[in-house]
Amino acid sequence: MKRIAQTIRLRPEHREEYLRLHSAVWPGVEAALLRANIRNYSIYLHGDVLFAYMEYIGDDFEGDMASIEADPETQRWWKHTDPCQEPFPDRGEGRQWTELPEIWHLSPPDDDATA
């Protein structure tokens, strides 16, 4: 499993629109994410900064991300959400959100470990 964290700014003038959209994410968008092996996807808000966390359980990350990008329902969704966002300058070529490197992770203890 691959854990992914991303961040982007929320344009203050689009805050209510963005929150309204995410109060009822379109079923087709959710289905595309699930087909692309995305699980445990959450978006958090702090001030005007959005933070997203997701887990990828597939074995062809680039292919699965391409399938999301090619999905017509997701493309329509992005036409509504992208104007609400202000990408950070270091987001990378062709990306909307900036991917954050994982610097630490607490793994669950082994089931057979003794305390």
Side-chain angles (χ1 to χ4, degrees):
M1 177 193 57
K2 176 180 176 145
R3 291 180 298 275
I4 301 160
Q6 301 173 318
T7 190
I8 196 167
R9 288 186 191 104
L10 178 61
R11 295 181 191 275
E13 66 273 21
H14 293 287
R15 180 186 192 96
E16 294 309 313
E17 171 71 2
Y18 193 83
L19 296 177
R20 184 187 63 73
L21 286 165
H22 284 84
S23 70
V25 175
W26 300 347
V29 171
E30 291 180 341
L33 291 166
L34 291 170
R35 281 192 308 272
N37 295 302
I38 298 295
R39 301 294 185 274
N40 266 344
Y41 193 171
S42 300
I43 299 175
Y44 301 86
L45 178 62
H46 178 71
D48 291 330
V49 176
L50 295 166
F51 170 80
Y53 172 82
M54 66 190 88
E55 295 170 352
Y56 174 72
I57 61 168
D59 57 11
D60 180 11
F61 183 74
E62 296 303 323
D64 283 332
M65 295 307 101
S67 75
I68 293 171
E69 292 172 10
D71 178 66
E73 186 80 351
T74 300
Q75 290 174 3
R76 281 189 337 111
W77 174 258
W78 287 343
K79 286 182 181 176
H80 293 277
T81 60
D82 283 3
C84 299
Q85 302 165 343
E86 181 182 349
F88 288 103
D90 61 351
R91 70 182 181 251
E93 185 67 31
R95 294 186 177 186
Q96 182 78 352
W97 290 63
T98 299
E99 195 162 322
L100 303 173
E102 183 176 304
I103 60 167
W104 182 78
H105 174 77
L106 175 64
S107 296
D110 293 336
D111 290 341
D112 59 354
T114 58

